[in-house]
Amino acid sequence: MPLEKPESKALETRQRFYYSSDRIIEKPFNWAQMARLLQYLKPYAKTLLPGAIIALLIGTAIRLTVPILIGVYAFDRVIKHQDIHGLYWLVGTIAVLYFLSYLSNYFRIRLTNILGQYVIFDIRKHLFNHVQYLSNRFFDSRSAGSILVRIINDVNSLQDLFTNGVINTLTDLLMLCGIIVILFSLSWQLAIAVMLVIPLMFFLSTKFRRKIRRAWQLVRLKQSKLNSHLNESIQGIRVTQSFNQEVNNRAFFDVVNTEVFETWRSATQKNAVFRPFVEMANAIGSAILIWFGAFLIIHSHLTTGIFVSFAFYLGMFWDPISRLGQTYNQLLVAMASSERIFEFLDERPNVRDAQEPVSMDGIKGTIDFEDVRFT
Amino acid sequence: MDTFRRLKNFYWPHKKYLFGSLLFLLIVTGATVCYPIVLQQTIDKGIKGQNFGYASILAFGFILIMAIKGVAAYFQQYWGNLFGISSVYELRKALYRKLQYLPFRYYDNAHTGDLMSRLTADVEGFRFFLSFGFSQLFNFILIVSFSLVIMFSYSVPLAVVTLLMTPFLAVTVYSFDKKVHPAFRAIRKSMGRMNTRVQENVSGMNTVKAMAQEAKEIERFEWNNTDYKDKQIYTSTLWAKYFPFMEFIGNICVVVLLGLGGTFVIRGEMKPGELVAFFSLVWYIMGPLMELGFMVNQFSQAKASGERLLQILDEPIEIASPENPIETDRLLGSVEFRHVYLKYPNEESYALKDITFRARPGQVIGLMGATGSGKSSITRLIARFYDATSGEILLDGESVKNYSLKTLRKNIGFVQQETFLFSSTIRDNIAYGNPDATDEEIIDAAKRAQAHDFISELPNGYDTILGERGLGLSGGQKQRIAIARALLINPSILILDDATSAVDMQTEAKIQMAFRELMRGRTTFIIAHRISSVRHADEILVLKDGQIAERGVHEDLIQNPNGLYRRIYDIQYKDHEQLKTQQNA
């Protein structure tokens, strides 16, 4: 794509506008800060939290049980022994379990969201109320926009963590551990073989993801530059037109627009490269199951039912690992946001009320300044 | 569909990405439905037939198929995205270009916030549909039909059972979708209100503190905060109600399949592997179905976004250079109005009525009158920011419409009432109209605008970057930079639109001094509220309701005891006279 040329020679080499868009989006993980953040969960530790955790335990337990029923029980017991009666019992049991799982999911989604929204409400309230009583000096040194961004955007970016992040992490860890334990108890040989792909999956969802994440951060940075310029060019359009700067500004915009396009293209490419690797990780797992599983069955070390259960569990592997990677990203974003929030909360007003304030009712209105100095 | 047809120019040139992406999608979907088949083959042929060799072939074949799928998925995803971002690149470029040339009339009625939301949210909505909408629709058709073919070939009754479950899911998805989108809109609105509340609070903090309104502000914010929380919780309740239920419908289908299929397998009417395959195939149909509502909504949103973007692109640019314009480097600067009438669009009454006057090169014309009397309108017509409704405006004896806009505006320097500076260095702000100016020229302009001294005192001098809206400088300082900016294009006609109304007396004196320097050898129009700004003008036009009520020089105008000018003079100088007598006493 050929770039548009500016009319003025000097602008071919010079950046015409400057926009500060380099807000740090992520920070390394910090335990103390995390602990302080989790303090906000405390008021709900005995009300909403236990319900949410019970719901998630029930849901996870059911999701872990069903593959055994459909695999081992259905194939090795019912179908093998041609037990129609047992089949009806099995179908009934699974139906009941699915219904329980439906209820537990309902409560889990509801309770975790209520919990998360209450926490966000509390943090925002705390922050806003605190800011109200800070002194003029605080406001003099900051633009209104930068304060707004903390009360609105930074608090919003904690939303994901508190509504889904914390609970999902628990669910996913539980799920992964559960699957591993079950797989080993069903067939340790096949379990070991299949587990070979787990490190690969973890590598993909952390290391690989980091590159992708960085690429998207760059896109957001360039986009915010583009938006700042758009905003300014609209507000300053009358000046631009009266100074004949339409062509020069188009050339500037073209550069920024191309930057956005290029970073976006590169990020989307990195994202796409991720796909074949994920497919391969999954494929290797399935291939091991098919090949080694068939080998074990033929040599009578394994039953068809266990094989089917394995196939189910293998299908449940990638989601929690991938989500854990996302949660990790959420945490890093939350670190940066919460650091900015805490920075405001730690700010103390330097003009305070007197310990025992005097009432100003019935005041006459004389003011005397005696030897006042102010720097 | 019309919207998409009219925006075709932006995305059709990149159709190769779209078709390439869809072609690879065909491979991806084909490979996806291989998994249940391979599983079935392993169980029914490899295991039951005790054929380890066949199982090995399946295992390696599967890896091969998935490798092909992976590569295809790369191209499908990358090109699909590229289709969207390439199209949007062109679209943004066209929008920006359009915005640069839309006349003042358009911006008088447009809100920055609204334009910004079109340029960001609507452009993004359109991109999202281009990048994912087409392929999602295609994917839906492919995977559902592939899966159905396989299902029917394995077991007709089970396939029919699966199909029977889909209407339930479809109804649930439909009713969820109808509720969730208004709920999302409510969240966005609530967020917007909270944003405005905080914005007002923070930017009005001085008032809040002076009036000790903190507790009141906290209470008002509490309302917004609660409202936002409630809207969020309401939406999450919808999710909680519907999503587990959709999953439940799919699960019930699995249970029915197990019962029915299990019976078939026990009776030997069906192979066990085929039953296992069904458990995967069910989700290939249910999954996309759950997303169908999302897809439909995305399409209608993209359409609405496209319409809002077309509104900008279709806007007429009625003020443009003529076919064979007069181009000249320098005008002499004579300005003549002949019976000029002006009516702004969307307004009932005339802003200017029968304006006739003549300014010779180098003369100073003062414009006085109440707000809305038409002072600024006169100056805007000279630079063709608007066109007169009737009558003629001549520059150097030629109609303004015969000049190229460039010639016109290069020769007319504007210092507007509200100074707008860009997020740029002071140097680039002064050189805004003439980016090729040398440092000497820039410093010279700043000196003549009385701005050099304060600029030199800044730590970074001329390289100081001004924030958005020129934060950090006082009104008077910004004004002087704006004057330097106008000086640097060396115009033959200068327009000072109420340039000193917002500054204190001392700064005004400085700026007035700068003006005198600025006016030398140029035809100048001064719009002012203060007599002191116009008293030396060669002619003063006093406007009332768009008409010239009085005209003449200062000394003559104050002689008319019933005149408007005299009344303004009395108001502004009465205090002054009183002050003088008091001081003398």
Side-chain angles (χ1 to χ4, degrees), chain A residues 322-336:
Chain A
S322 157
R323 258 204 307 273
L324 282 175
Q326 279 167 17
T327 311
Y328 180 68
N329 289 353
Q330 277 175 12
L331 272 178
L332 299 186
V333 173
M335 281 299 130

PDB file of all heavy atoms in Angstrom, chain A residues 322-336:
ATOM      1  N   SER A 322      -5.922 -24.154  28.583  1.00  0.00           N
ATOM      2  CA  SER A 322      -5.992 -22.907  27.841  1.00  0.00           C
ATOM      3  C   SER A 322      -6.549 -21.785  28.717  1.00  0.00           C
ATOM      4  O   SER A 322      -6.070 -20.656  28.705  1.00  0.00           O
ATOM      5  CB  SER A 322      -6.863 -23.130  26.618  1.00  0.00           C
ATOM      6  OG  SER A 322      -7.380 -21.930  26.157  1.00  0.00           O
ATOM      7  N   ARG A 323      -7.563 -22.130  29.533  1.00  0.00           N
ATOM      8  CA  ARG A 323      -8.148 -21.107  30.406  1.00  0.00           C
ATOM      9  C   ARG A 323      -7.180 -20.666  31.487  1.00  0.00           C
ATOM     10  O   ARG A 323      -7.129 -19.491  31.839  1.00  0.00           O
ATOM     11  CB  ARG A 323      -9.440 -21.619  31.033  1.00  0.00           C
ATOM     12  CG  ARG A 323     -10.692 -21.085  30.362  1.00  0.00           C
ATOM     13  CD  ARG A 323     -11.872 -21.115  31.307  1.00  0.00           C
ATOM     14  NE  ARG A 323     -12.044 -22.431  31.861  1.00  0.00           N
ATOM     15  CZ  ARG A 323     -12.758 -23.396  31.289  1.00  0.00           C
ATOM     16  NH1 ARG A 323     -13.361 -23.173  30.144  1.00  0.00           N
ATOM     17  NH2 ARG A 323     -12.882 -24.575  31.845  1.00  0.00           N
ATOM     18  N   LEU A 324      -6.387 -21.605  31.995  1.00  0.00           N
ATOM     19  CA  LEU A 324      -5.395 -21.234  33.010  1.00  0.00           C
ATOM     20  C   LEU A 324      -4.405 -20.221  32.428  1.00  0.00           C
ATOM     21  O   LEU A 324      -4.003 -19.277  33.100  1.00  0.00           O
ATOM     22  CB  LEU A 324      -4.658 -22.465  33.523  1.00  0.00           C
ATOM     23  CG  LEU A 324      -5.436 -23.311  34.532  1.00  0.00           C
ATOM     24  CD1 LEU A 324      -4.657 -24.580  34.870  1.00  0.00           C
ATOM     25  CD2 LEU A 324      -5.707 -22.513  35.807  1.00  0.00           C
ATOM     26  N   GLY A 325      -4.041 -20.429  31.174  1.00  0.00           N
ATOM     27  CA  GLY A 325      -3.164 -19.468  30.504  1.00  0.00           C
ATOM     28  C   GLY A 325      -3.809 -18.093  30.451  1.00  0.00           C
ATOM     29  O   GLY A 325      -3.174 -17.075  30.717  1.00  0.00           O
ATOM     30  N   GLN A 326      -5.109 -18.074  30.148  1.00  0.00           N
ATOM     31  CA  GLN A 326      -5.828 -16.794  30.080  1.00  0.00           C
ATOM     32  C   GLN A 326      -5.899 -16.129  31.457  1.00  0.00           C
ATOM     33  O   GLN A 326      -5.742 -14.925  31.586  1.00  0.00           O
ATOM     34  CB  GLN A 326      -7.244 -17.008  29.567  1.00  0.00           C
ATOM     35  CG  GLN A 326      -7.322 -17.127  28.060  1.00  0.00           C
ATOM     36  CD  GLN A 326      -8.671 -17.641  27.602  1.00  0.00           C
ATOM     37  OE1 GLN A 326      -9.640 -17.625  28.345  1.00  0.00           O
ATOM     38  NE2 GLN A 326      -8.704 -18.112  26.372  1.00  0.00           N
ATOM     39  N   THR A 327      -6.153 -16.962  32.476  1.00  0.00           N
ATOM     40  CA  THR A 327      -6.237 -16.419  33.831  1.00  0.00           C
ATOM     41  C   THR A 327      -4.918 -15.764  34.221  1.00  0.00           C
ATOM     42  O   THR A 327      -4.895 -14.715  34.854  1.00  0.00           O
ATOM     43  CB  THR A 327      -6.556 -17.532  34.842  1.00  0.00           C
ATOM     44  OG1 THR A 327      -7.648 -18.262  34.349  1.00  0.00           O
ATOM     45  CG2 THR A 327      -6.891 -16.957  36.196  1.00  0.00           C
ATOM     46  N   TYR A 328      -3.831 -16.404  33.788  1.00  0.00           N
ATOM     47  CA  TYR A 328      -2.515 -15.836  34.073  1.00  0.00           C
ATOM     48  C   TYR A 328      -2.406 -14.442  33.444  1.00  0.00           C
ATOM     49  O   TYR A 328      -1.957 -13.497  34.088  1.00  0.00           O
ATOM     50  CB  TYR A 328      -1.440 -16.788  33.540  1.00  0.00           C
ATOM     51  CG  TYR A 328      -0.042 -16.316  33.776  1.00  0.00           C
ATOM     52  CD1 TYR A 328       0.483 -16.261  35.070  1.00  0.00           C
ATOM     53  CD2 TYR A 328       0.760 -15.909  32.718  1.00  0.00           C
ATOM     54  CE1 TYR A 328       1.753 -15.823  35.289  1.00  0.00           C
ATOM     55  CE2 TYR A 328       2.046 -15.468  32.929  1.00  0.00           C
ATOM     56  CZ  TYR A 328       2.545 -15.424  34.206  1.00  0.00           C
ATOM     57  OH  TYR A 328       3.815 -14.979  34.425  1.00  0.00           O
ATOM     58  N   ASN A 329      -2.861 -14.316  32.216  1.00  0.00           N
ATOM     59  CA  ASN A 329      -2.884 -12.994  31.563  1.00  0.00           C
ATOM     60  C   ASN A 329      -3.722 -12.002  32.352  1.00  0.00           C
ATOM     61  O   ASN A 329      -3.329 -10.862  32.569  1.00  0.00           O
ATOM     62  CB  ASN A 329      -3.481 -13.091  30.167  1.00  0.00           C
ATOM     63  CG  ASN A 329      -2.554 -13.797  29.206  1.00  0.00           C
ATOM     64  OD1 ASN A 329      -1.419 -14.095  29.557  1.00  0.00           O
ATOM     65  ND2 ASN A 329      -3.040 -14.063  28.018  1.00  0.00           N
ATOM     66  N   GLN A 330      -4.899 -12.469  32.774  1.00  0.00           N
ATOM     67  CA  GLN A 330      -5.787 -11.608  33.557  1.00  0.00           C
ATOM     68  C   GLN A 330      -5.082 -11.094  34.813  1.00  0.00           C
ATOM     69  O   GLN A 330      -5.196  -9.936  35.176  1.00  0.00           O
ATOM     70  CB  GLN A 330      -7.020 -12.376  34.009  1.00  0.00           C
ATOM     71  CG  GLN A 330      -8.120 -12.465  32.984  1.00  0.00           C
ATOM     72  CD  GLN A 330      -9.249 -13.353  33.467  1.00  0.00           C
ATOM     73  OE1 GLN A 330      -9.294 -13.718  34.642  1.00  0.00           O
ATOM     74  NE2 GLN A 330     -10.142 -13.721  32.574  1.00  0.00           N
ATOM     75  N   LEU A 331      -4.332 -12.004  35.435  1.00  0.00           N
ATOM     76  CA  LEU A 331      -3.631 -11.638  36.661  1.00  0.00           C
ATOM     77  C   LEU A 331      -2.619 -10.530  36.400  1.00  0.00           C
ATOM     78  O   LEU A 331      -2.528  -9.581  37.173  1.00  0.00           O
ATOM     79  CB  LEU A 331      -2.901 -12.859  37.225  1.00  0.00           C
ATOM     80  CG  LEU A 331      -3.706 -13.737  38.156  1.00  0.00           C
ATOM     81  CD1 LEU A 331      -2.881 -14.930  38.601  1.00  0.00           C
ATOM     82  CD2 LEU A 331      -4.141 -12.927  39.376  1.00  0.00           C
ATOM     83  N   LEU A 332      -1.862 -10.646  35.298  1.00  0.00           N
ATOM     84  CA  LEU A 332      -0.850  -9.636  35.009  1.00  0.00           C
ATOM     85  C   LEU A 332      -1.504  -8.278  34.737  1.00  0.00           C
ATOM     86  O   LEU A 332      -1.009  -7.242  35.180  1.00  0.00           O
ATOM     87  CB  LEU A 332      -0.014 -10.054  33.801  1.00  0.00           C
ATOM     88  CG  LEU A 332       0.763 -11.358  33.969  1.00  0.00           C
ATOM     89  CD1 LEU A 332       1.666 -11.584  32.772  1.00  0.00           C
ATOM     90  CD2 LEU A 332       1.590 -11.348  35.246  1.00  0.00           C
ATOM     91  N   VAL A 333      -2.638  -8.316  34.023  1.00  0.00           N
ATOM     92  CA  VAL A 333      -3.367  -7.067  33.776  1.00  0.00           C
ATOM     93  C   VAL A 333      -3.868  -6.501  35.102  1.00  0.00           C
ATOM     94  O   VAL A 333      -3.746  -5.306  35.377  1.00  0.00           O
ATOM     95  CB  VAL A 333      -4.550  -7.313  32.818  1.00  0.00           C
ATOM     96  CG1 VAL A 333      -5.414  -6.075  32.698  1.00  0.00           C
ATOM     97  CG2 VAL A 333      -4.034  -7.717  31.445  1.00  0.00           C
ATOM     98  N   ALA A 334      -4.395  -7.388  35.946  1.00  0.00           N
ATOM     99  CA  ALA A 334      -4.913  -6.961  37.253  1.00  0.00           C
ATOM    100  C   ALA A 334      -3.803  -6.370  38.111  1.00  0.00           C
ATOM    101  O   ALA A 334      -4.044  -5.440  38.880  1.00  0.00           O
ATOM    102  CB  ALA A 334      -5.577  -8.135  37.960  1.00  0.00           C
ATOM    103  N   MET A 335      -2.585  -6.897  37.975  1.00  0.00           N
ATOM    104  CA  MET A 335      -1.461  -6.358  38.753  1.00  0.00           C
ATOM    105  C   MET A 335      -1.227  -4.891  38.410  1.00  0.00           C
ATOM    106  O   MET A 335      -1.091  -4.043  39.288  1.00  0.00           O
ATOM    107  CB  MET A 335      -0.182  -7.165  38.437  1.00  0.00           C
ATOM    108  CG  MET A 335      -0.109  -8.488  39.148  1.00  0.00           C
ATOM    109  SD  MET A 335      -0.118  -8.280  40.932  1.00  0.00           S
ATOM    110  CE  MET A 335      -1.383  -9.400  41.414  1.00  0.00           C
ATOM    111  N   ALA A 336      -1.189  -4.604  37.118  1.00  0.00           N
ATOM    112  CA  ALA A 336      -0.943  -3.221  36.697  1.00  0.00           C
ATOM    113  C   ALA A 336      -2.083  -2.305  37.135  1.00  0.00           C
ATOM    114  O   ALA A 336      -1.854  -1.229  37.679  1.00  0.00           O
ATOM    115  CB  ALA A 336      -0.768  -3.157  35.182  1.00  0.00           C
TER     116      ALA A 336
END
